[in-house]
Amino acid sequence: MRIEEDIKLDYKDVLVIPKRSTLKSRRDVNLLRKFNFKNREKELEVIPVIAANMDGVGTMSMFKSLSPNHMMTALHKHYSLPELKKFFDSTPEEKLKYVFYTIGLNGEDFEKLEKLISILKKDTIQNISIDVANGYTEHFINFVKKVREKYPKKIIMAGNVVTPEMTEQLILSGADIVKIGIGPGSTCITRKIAGVGYPQLSAVIECGDAAHGMGGRICADGGCQVPGDITKAIGGGADFVMLGGMLAGHKESEQKIHKTKDGKFLHFYGSSSEDAMNKHHGGVGKYRANEGKAVKIPYLGKIEPTIQKILGGLRSACTYTGAANLKELPKRTTFIKVNRQLNDLFD
Ligand code: 5GP
């Protein structure tokens, strides 16, 4: 047994210090960021915020609302082949860069992807996200290598991990973007059930450093509760940020809206919660405990005002720190640790 004595940080543990700025207005901030990937010929220009591949978040309706705002969507895994064929065949070419097709570690997902590509008019899938709860297994590394061999020209995002050596390993195995986060998600109970995890801001800072040293990218996945947390993730070195809970509860969730005397709400549940297991896998397997929970969230209507709040928050952060764009934000970020107990009082 060994103890790491350093205290690691979550988003709530810090604030970003304002810096002298030459920007005149928030309008001067450009949130579009250009990325080069060794496996993609064209550069990718997007606002690097991604809707998580969760039920209620990674939906085709979400894509329709996020893509005009240059934000990305990782589709959840539960659309049928005909639905996916229709979607990919009818999505305009210039919008395809905003979609991640998600697969897990099982053969079925991979077969479904191959089948889908074989029935599409053209192979219009540009980005693949390989998403597993635990990215630390040999099996996962070999799977990432296999997907890379099969698809040498697609952007591959893979995770989740929280440590530099595994970030490097995934990049060496063919990932362009490594997804960072074990335990921070709003519907995640891994930290409670398994006692495993890593404070998210420190994971982002440490893994980002490792990835960037090798020409790789990271996506901070989970734990953003307010727009300011996205600033902290990017300021800490995240190239992309994935959001679940912040985008849930909207019309675009494609979920049943419940009406009660107290108002409208819908259920938002973790991908490995009992609800998800019952819905998609016929129950929770006997050998495992579910590591996600369901929460009741108020229905918030259309996603557009939420998008504008997120983009407005980022523009504001850039103005406060004097960053003309998101690439400059980490260079201009100095965090100050704050008293967490005091911070919690304002929740
Ligand atoms: P949020 O933005 O809601 O805080 O976090 C979203 C992320 O939580 C997802 O992208 C995914 O990585 C993670 N997540 C989603 N469902 C579950 C779950 O059931 N269990 C765990 N451990 N993590 C989950």
Side-chain angles (χ1 to χ4, degrees):
M1 192 283 289
R2 199 166 65 87
I3 296 186
E4 290 241 355
E5 297 288 350
D6 268 9
I7 300 278
K8 301 294 179 179
L9 304 170
D10 268 316
Y11 297 133
K12 270 192 175 170
D13 296 318
V14 300
L15 286 169
V16 176
I17 303 177
K19 295 229 163 94
R20 200 163 53 193
S21 162
T22 52
L23 298 172
K24 291 204 185 84
S25 134
R26 286 168 202 195
R27 269 195 294 274
D28 296 342
V29 174
N30 180 9
L31 295 181
L32 281 167
R33 216 189 134 176
K34 288 181 185 162
F35 297 96
N36 284 303
F37 295 99
K38 61 173 185 283
N39 302 301
R40 186 185 147 102
E41 282 154 24
K42 273 198 289 182
E43 62 184 4
L44 176 75
E45 187 176 30
V46 295
I47 294 181
V49 175
I50 311 174
N53 53 287
M54 299 173 72
D55 283 3
V57 182
T59 63
M60 292 174 182
S61 311
M62 192 65 80
F63 163 82
K64 284 200 184 97
S65 296
L66 293 192
S67 58
N69 287 287
H70 308 285
M71 292 155 76
M72 305 178 87
T73 302
L75 292 179
H76 68 63
K77 298 195 301 181
H78 310 295
Y79 286 113
S80 66
L81 274 176
E83 286 171 316
L84 289 162
K85 176 171 167 49
K86 190 168 163 217
F87 173 81
F88 279 102
D89 280 346
S90 62
T91 296
E93 166 111 34
E94 68 280 7
K95 292 275 172 72
L96 289 163
K97 66 177 178 181
Y98 298 114
V99 195
F100 277 93
Y101 182 88
T102 310
I103 55 175
L105 195 45
N106 61 43
E108 267 168 45
D109 285 352
F110 190 62
E111 279 166 27
K112 186 173 166 189
L113 170 61
E114 289 189 305
K115 175 87 193 145
L116 175 63
I117 291 175
S118 75
I119 59 173
L120 291 178
K121 281 189 202 149
K122 283 200 292 186
D123 179 2
T124 40
I125 297 176
Q126 299 188 358
N127 313 316
I128 297 177
S129 175
I130 313 174
D131 177 56
V132 296
N134 172 8
Y136 281 79
T137 63
E138 204 67 30
H139 184 36
F140 180 61
I141 293 164
N142 291 335
F143 187 72
V144 173
K145 285 183 189 161
K146 177 175 146 180
V147 179
R148 170 52 71 210
E149 266 168 36
K150 178 84 199 192
Y151 301 113
K153 296 229 161 128
K154 297 190 193 296
I155 293 176
I156 295 180
M157 177 158 74
N160 283 19
V161 297
V162 283
T163 46
E165 75 286 355
M166 215 49 195
T167 303
E168 289 167 356
Q169 175 68 62
L170 289 173
I171 292 168
L172 290 173
S173 306
D176 298 294
I177 308 167
V178 179
K179 206 145 64 77
I180 308 299
I182 294 189
S186 58
T187 56
C188 171
I189 52 170
T190 298
R191 289 175 181 176
K192 285 186 181 155
I193 291 286
V196 174
Y198 206 101
Q200 182 68 350
L201 177 66
S202 291
V204 165
I205 293 171
E206 292 164 23
C207 297
D209 189 49
H212 298 151
M214 301 175 69
R217 306 285 181 186
I218 63 158
C219 172
D221 177 18
C224 289
Q225 296 178 0
V226 287
D229 292 340
I230 305 173
T231 301
K232 293 174 189 176
I234 296 176
D239 303 286
F240 296 82
V241 181
M242 182 170 265
L243 304 176
M246 279 184 70
L247 300 178
H250 294 88
K251 188 163 182 277
E252 289 77 359
S253 294
E254 298 179 2
Q255 294 282 49
K256 181 166 186 229
I257 299 162
H258 302 269
K259 287 182 191 154
T260 66
K261 62 176 176 19
D262 301 322
K264 295 179 188 172
F265 70 91
L266 39 73
H267 285 294
F268 175 52
Y269 47 87
S271 306
S272 60
S273 64
E274 197 174 339
D275 300 61
M277 292 296 162
N278 288 339
K279 189 166 175 197
H280 302 299
H281 307 285
V284 183
K286 279 218 172 69
Y287 59 94
R288 61 183 292 172
N290 50 290
E291 288 184 18
K293 64 178 180 184
V295 287
K296 195 169 140 180
I297 45 178
Y299 176 60
L300 298 167
K302 285 191 177 165
I303 191 88
E304 191 61 31
T306 302
I307 295 174
Q308 293 316 322
K309 217 191 266 178
I310 288 170
L311 300 182
L314 275 174
R315 273 194 205 99
S316 176
C318 287
T319 319
Y320 271 116
T321 54
N325 53 54
L326 292 184
K327 195 173 174 191
E328 276 183 26
L329 187 56
K331 293 179 196 149
R332 302 194 63 102
T333 295
T334 306
F335 290 119
I336 183 159
K337 288 195 222 170
V338 293
N339 182 324
R340 181 139 180 193
Q341 276 161 323
L342 250 188
N343 204 355
D344 284 345
L345 284 180
F346 296 102
D347 276 352

